[in-house]
Amino acid sequence: MTNPIHKDWKPATKLVHGGTTRSGFGETSEALFLTQGYIYESAEAAEARFIGELPGYIYSRYANPTVAMFEQRMCELEGAEAARATASGMAAVNSAIMSCVRAGDHFIAPKALFGSCRYIIEQILPRYGVESTLIDGTDIEQWKAAIRPNTKAAFLESPTNPTLDVIDIQAVADIIHGVGGRLIVDNVFATAIWQAPLTLGADVVIYSATKHIDGQGRCLGGIVLSDKKWIEEEFHDMYKHTGPAMSPFNAWVLLKGLETLPLRVERQTSTAAKIADLLAESSAVSRVIYPGRADHPQADLVQKQMRGGSTMLAFDLSGGKEAAFKFSNALQIVKLSNNLGDAKSLITHPATTTHQSVAEEARLELGITDHTLRLSVGLEDPEDLLDDVRQALASI
Ligand SMILES: *Cc1c(COP(=O)(O)O)cnc(C)c1O
């Protein structure tokens, strides 16, 4: 079912050719197998397939040829042995966490998490008897203090949303492995282009493919990548029986997205760096957080574990919420939206949108003030974007 893995290819080549399985027609572009089921040649063949004696597809909730191409292409990029694609990023996070823990286990995660990830850990896990400890993920001492003999797994995002804190993946992996637990890394903000968590000791990597992998704001998707043994023995049955599967149509769109991923991420990152520098020079801006700038709080760690900066930046304006709203409303090219990784530049005021349900005290603890803005840099001409930011700054 699977193709040879091309370990020697560089990422851009893997992203154009990796995982491609051609039908008898020899099509250039990946085929879209928009099918739920598969026909067996005989009753005997059906029986053999169900007991696993004959390879082949059975039902698209378990596996589908177009989805399998997406999974393999992602495995090649990430250097993972196996993967399962999911309907959304949250389906990937939820199924990865649920496959790691059982009642009586303990779980660790930083407080700075994408809102829905925090909901799973704080609200859902306790219902099933899994206790968790939420910490400041940038402080390695807090990871050490939180660990228990029954810590079966931990989850982290780096850089975090929206304040772009960077967490030492290798150090956390060592601590979790000390008690035999597994580390799950949400690599959405870094992208596979700038960070490879598996090489830093992570056991499972997840993505919301909705973000940079699609990169053009079209469809939702997610993926869980890990070693073959864990995917097949611990993850697959949960996936197969609970149904978070990716639609073949979305897998096809995302395969096309992967072909241009490095070009887009490199361009978005270089523009983001220019905007970060422009903001840092403005008297209207009190703080700029950009992984890649020397004044990032964990600049040394960025150097150590990331190959590039970020397509995202966060900044505080001096004039409070009023200035943040005025600035956002004055932008002409940059649009107001809570999505990220898109070809269109998008600005978010986290305190009143993505983090609106987080209590004020907890929000401030995360560094999300009333005047913090998050910018996802798109593919517009860098000069146009710089001009747009300049005129919006001038308006406040
Ligand atoms: C968007 C996002 C998710 C959730 O992904 P969906 O595709 O929206 O379900 C999870 N983690 C991070 C860091 C994200 O940005």
Side-chain angles (χ1 to χ4, degrees):
M1 218 61 17
T2 48
N3 300 301
I5 302 267
H6 305 280
K7 284 215 168 98
D8 49 329
W9 284 353
K10 300 201 169 45
T13 312
K14 290 175 177 174
L15 287 168
V16 173
H17 293 288
T20 305
T21 308
R22 296 206 157 79
S23 79
F25 297 112
E27 63 282 350
T28 312
S29 177
E30 296 72 12
L32 169 50
F33 291 96
L34 204 52
T35 182
Q36 299 165 338
Y38 305 86
I39 308 293
Y40 312 103
E41 280 156 28
S42 64
E44 289 78 8
E47 182 184 29
R49 235 185 252 190
F50 267 79
I51 55 178
E53 270 175 12
L54 266 188
Y57 292 97
I58 293 174
Y59 191 55
S60 288
R61 170 153 42 79
Y62 315 167
N64 167 282
T66 308
V67 177
M69 285 193 256
F70 173 67
E71 290 167 343
Q72 197 185 329
R73 192 167 290 181
M74 282 299 300
C75 281
E76 294 209 20
L77 174 65
E78 202 68 41
E81 290 173 0
R84 293 292 182 272
T86 56
S88 68
M90 285 321 304
V93 173
N94 187 59
S95 51
I97 292 177
M98 291 303 174
S99 298
C100 285
V101 292
R102 314 230 171 332
D105 290 347
H106 175 245
F107 194 87
I108 309 176
K111 287 175 194 157
L113 287 183
F114 186 75
S116 298
C117 300
R118 190 155 164 174
Y119 180 86
I120 292 174
I121 295 160
E122 274 191 307
Q123 306 295 326
I124 300 182
L125 289 187
R127 290 184 210 163
Y128 300 95
V130 178
E131 247 192 276
S132 53
T133 308
L134 292 180
I135 57 166
D136 172 356
T138 58
D139 180 356
I140 290 302
E141 293 311 314
Q142 292 196 27
W143 287 96
K144 287 183 188 156
I147 201 94
R148 298 185 195 169
N150 62 335
T151 304
K152 286 289 155 54
F155 178 90
L156 68 85
E157 295 165 19
S158 181
T160 61
N161 173 41
T163 50
L164 307 171
D165 294 325
V166 175
I167 299 173
D168 190 335
I169 297 172
Q170 182 76 65
V172 174
D174 289 346
I175 294 165
I176 304 301
H177 293 162
V179 292
R182 295 183 74 80
L183 175 62
I184 306 167
V185 173
D186 177 333
N187 206 34
V188 168
F189 270 53
T191 79
I193 304 304
W194 297 143
Q195 183 167 271
L198 295 178
T199 66
L200 298 166
D203 303 284
V204 181
V205 177
I206 74 99
Y207 287 97
S208 162
T210 313
K211 310 297 166 55
H212 303 83
I213 293 174
D214 177 355
Q216 290 158 80
R218 298 162 298 190
C219 58
L220 301 183
I223 191 159
V224 178
L225 302 115
S226 187
D227 57 275
K228 195 162 185 277
K229 186 170 154 50
W230 185 79
I231 290 283
E232 288 180 359
E233 293 174 15
E234 305 290 331
F235 186 83
H236 183 75
D237 284 352
M238 171 89 87
Y239 174 85
K240 167 176 163 176
H241 295 299
T242 63
M246 175 180 277
S247 138
F249 180 81
N250 287 3
W252 182 85
V253 173
L254 296 166
L255 271 163
K256 302 321 277 178
L258 284 178
E259 294 182 346
T260 58
L261 181 70
L263 284 176
R264 288 185 285 106
V265 169
E266 282 162 22
R267 170 63 173 267
Q268 286 166 298
T269 301
S270 80
T271 309
K274 288 177 191 152
I275 296 175
D277 291 344
L278 172 72
L279 289 167
E281 281 163 19
S282 167
S283 58
V285 177
S286 56
R287 177 177 72 148
V288 177
I289 314 165
Y290 183 69
R293 269 181 66 88
D295 58 4
H296 185 278
Q298 295 95 30
D300 291 345
L301 189 53
V302 172
Q303 281 286 329
K304 196 180 97 182
Q305 75 178 20
M306 297 181 71
R307 291 183 290 250
S310 177
T311 67
M312 307 288 299
L313 50 100
F315 56 100
D316 287 351
L317 292 171
S318 316
K321 179 179 168 184
E322 198 192 328
F325 272 33
K326 230 177 173 175
F327 176 86
S328 305
N329 290 333
L331 289 165
Q332 300 289 311
I333 298 171
V334 179
K335 302 298 177 212
L336 284 150
S337 177
N338 48 286
N339 204 2
L340 62 102
D342 200 281
K344 295 176 173 63
S345 293
L346 304 173
I347 191 128
T348 310
H349 183 248
T352 52
T353 60
T354 55
H355 289 70
Q356 173 254 119
S357 61
V358 179
E360 192 181 0
E361 201 185 333
R363 229 188 338 101
L364 294 174
E365 194 188 7
L366 296 174
I368 306 166
T369 69
D370 284 341
H371 43 274
T372 303
L373 289 168
R374 184 192 81 183
L375 178 64
S376 169
V377 177
L379 290 172
E380 301 92 342
D381 187 279
E383 286 306 321
D384 285 343
L385 286 176
L386 289 165
D387 283 346
D388 199 22
V389 170
R390 264 186 217 111
Q391 65 82 21
L393 283 172
S395 80
I396 54 178

